[in-house]
Amino acid sequence: MSSIEFISKNLSWLPKPLTRFMEKRMKKIPAMQKMLETENAKIMTSLEHSLKPYHDKFERISTMPSTGISRDKILADMQKMHDLESPTWQNGYVSGGIYHGDSEHIDFLNKIYGLHSQSNPLHSDLFPSATKFEAEIVSMTAHLHGKGQTTDGADIVGTITSGGTESILVAMKSYRDRAYEEKGITAPEMIMPTTAHVAFEKAAQYFKIKMVQIPVNENFTVNPADVERAITKNTIVIIGSAPSFPHGIIDPIPELSTIAFKHGIGFHTDACLGGFVVPFAEKLGYPVPTIDFRLPGVTSMSVDTHKYGYAAKGTSVVLYRTPELRHYQFYTTTEWPGGLYFSPTLAGSRPGALSAACWASLMSIGEDGYLKATKAIFETADKIKAGIKDIPELKILGNPFWVIAFGSDSLNVYEVLDQMGKKHWSLNGLHKPTSVHIALTLRHTQPGVAEKFLSDLKESVEYVKANPGQKEGLAPVYGMAASLPFRGMVSDILKKYLDVIYKV
Ligand SMILES: Cc1ncc(COP(=O)(O)O)c(C=O)c1O
């Protein structure tokens, strides 16, 4: 047994503060340091092998070529990489990731990208098309989420960002700055379910906001009363997911936003995953709750166009109930020698081509296209949920719509995940509790994909039942990461993982 395995198995009962203290002390012991380094190196060598499959297929480049390589050769190499990588997602083996993926749609977006590749919304004078596209994407998204249907006639506004994380970061920054400006709050707190996306934790770290996490109940949502109890004079915003990334469950947004409204604080619906699904599911008559600005307490939303909006990767929309709240997001300076400067989001220059392609995606798919897509995804979800329920060793977590997490009381579900990996499936491993999820996309609605998923899942479960306790693959790493009480060590391993990614 390695020292990391020993710690995982024997010290997980320690209370958190004691664990942190012990971890700090142990890290200072040279013999311990050496042992950890050796074990980290072992993990990293095996990870490097899987993370860098091109080491033996393509030349490794560390310095720029002294003379430029021909465009034909570059294109040929890049085409080869594309061809090696595409079948897994094209054939529907990936959870989330690629949300549309039909070649005609991709070719169309690529054409638009090519047309606008030089565009930069920072230079609105040069590229008025970019500002037109961005304003219209925001307006189309706002109208999907209640603009024109609110009881207070709210003037819902927003901006384009680079993705869900940036939408969440800038929204949290806006709440922090508003709370300071309008209420003098210097120790801001945000209340969120433990299942809210990590982007909120990133915002908490970046912007020095205290994160108050509320544990979820047996249905994988928070109890509104627990949230209300956590409110203090420093609370600036409450967060709910529609749905959450891990288990695909929609939090009780009507109840949570009502609590926020009653206490005069902000409420953010994170609809990064569901923003282009839930409104259409509602129109189709599925029993989804209201998640948007029709609820008077909802003051901001994050809605990802690059997920179920079927745009290319790199765009999302952040929406605000009022232009005043959006002003806290904007950056302006009047004193810089470079001139008057203002930008709406974290970046300075931005890829106008991505906004152009996003606009083209919304325009070409249209409401009828999104309704059709949502129906197909929900029908596939029904098939998959029924199939998982037929496997006695597995259980679905909560009552999800189309992002489906499953665990097991009798098997190590990470070993099932590994077996599915061997059958080319790329699913997501989750912890707390140990589980796996599949986020269904249009790729999974192709004929035969749901059936193949279920038959592979059955076979994987049978295999793990017959051969439990694998030592190879990712299952032991997942298991260790989930149970290791020294979270600093897990964090160190993750940082080393990122180091490997940037190794040539
Ligand atoms: C619910 C939720 N919020 C936020 C995000 C972050 O989005 P992004 O990866 O585009 O930054 C995700 C990503 O999966 C998500 O599922």
Side-chain angles (χ1 to χ4, degrees), residues 122-180:
L122 188 67
H123 301 298
S124 47
D125 51 337
L126 283 180
F127 302 107
S129 60
T131 55
K132 167 183 163 65
F133 298 142
E134 295 205 333
E136 292 177 2
I137 295 166
V138 169
S139 177
M140 285 188 262
T141 310
H143 278 92
L144 264 189
H145 286 291
K147 188 169 170 124
Q149 298 173 58
T150 57
T151 44
D152 59 354
D155 179 16
I156 294 150
V157 295
T159 70
I160 303 292
T161 70
S162 62
T165 299
E166 193 183 358
S167 287
I168 289 168
L169 288 176
V170 291
M172 295 307 108
K173 181 199 116 43
S174 302
Y175 285 114
R176 183 200 64 171
D177 291 355
R178 179 174 75 167
Y180 179 70

Side-chain angles (χ1 to χ4, degrees), residues 138-390:
V138 169
S139 177
M140 285 188 262
T141 310
H143 278 92
L144 264 189
H145 286 291
K147 188 169 170 124
Q149 298 173 58
T150 57
T151 44
D152 59 354
D155 179 16
I156 294 150
V157 295
T159 70
I160 303 292
T161 70
S162 62
T165 299
E166 193 183 358
S167 287
I168 289 168
L169 288 176
V170 291
M172 295 307 108
K173 181 199 116 43
S174 302
Y175 285 114
R176 183 200 64 171
D177 291 355
R178 179 174 75 167
Y180 179 70
E181 183 83 10
E182 296 179 9
K183 293 185 182 168
I185 292 177
T186 53
E189 296 175 8
M190 56 202 234
I191 302 177
M192 57 198 255
T194 47
T195 48
H197 195 267
V198 283
F200 292 98
E201 182 167 348
K202 207 178 218 183
Q205 278 191 19
Y206 283 9
F207 303 129
K208 304 273 178 283
I209 303 170
K210 182 178 165 195
M211 210 171 47
V212 180
Q213 285 180 302
I214 308 298
V216 292
N217 57 27
E218 64 287 1
N219 301 318
F220 295 87
T221 68
V222 279
N223 296 326
D226 294 343
V227 170
E228 186 157 27
R229 261 194 304 278
I231 294 173
T232 70
K233 62 179 184 2
N234 287 326
T235 306
I236 59 171
V237 61
I238 296 173
I239 289 134
S241 310
S244 70
F245 171 83
H247 316 116
I249 308 287
I250 302 183
D251 285 318
I253 309 288
E255 293 83 350
L256 295 176
S257 62
T258 302
I259 291 171
F261 188 74
K262 191 173 103 189
H263 290 266
I265 49 189
F267 183 87
H268 182 90
T269 301
D270 178 16
C272 283
L273 262 185
F276 279 90
V277 176
V278 175
F280 300 108
E282 186 182 329
K283 285 209 165 114
L284 289 165
Y286 288 102
V288 289
T290 308
I291 61 165
D292 58 35
F293 293 101
R294 287 170 295 169
L295 301 167
V298 172
T299 47
S300 62
M301 293 184 75
S302 40
V303 183
D304 282 2
T305 35
H306 71 184
K307 293 190 173 80
Y308 294 93
Y310 308 124
K313 272 283 171 268
T315 61
S316 166
V317 176
V318 58
L319 296 171
Y320 295 99
R321 191 167 200 97
T322 65
E324 291 75 26
L325 185 52
R326 181 174 65 171
H327 275 184
Y328 288 103
Q329 178 185 311
F330 292 163
Y331 175 79
T332 61
T333 182
T334 54
E335 305 308 319
W336 184 43
L340 295 177
Y341 186 100
F342 44 91
S343 71
T345 54
L346 297 179
S349 291
R350 290 186 298 114
L354 287 182
S355 294
C358 175
W359 184 86
S361 180
L362 299 183
M363 293 295 288
S364 65
I365 294 174
E367 195 174 318
D368 59 338
Y370 286 105
L371 283 167
K372 215 166 126 199
T374 303
K375 188 161 185 285
I377 290 171
F378 272 53
E379 283 170 1
T380 305
D382 284 343
K383 244 189 247 174
I384 292 207
K385 283 185 278 191
I388 296 175
K389 280 181 191 153
D390 271 350

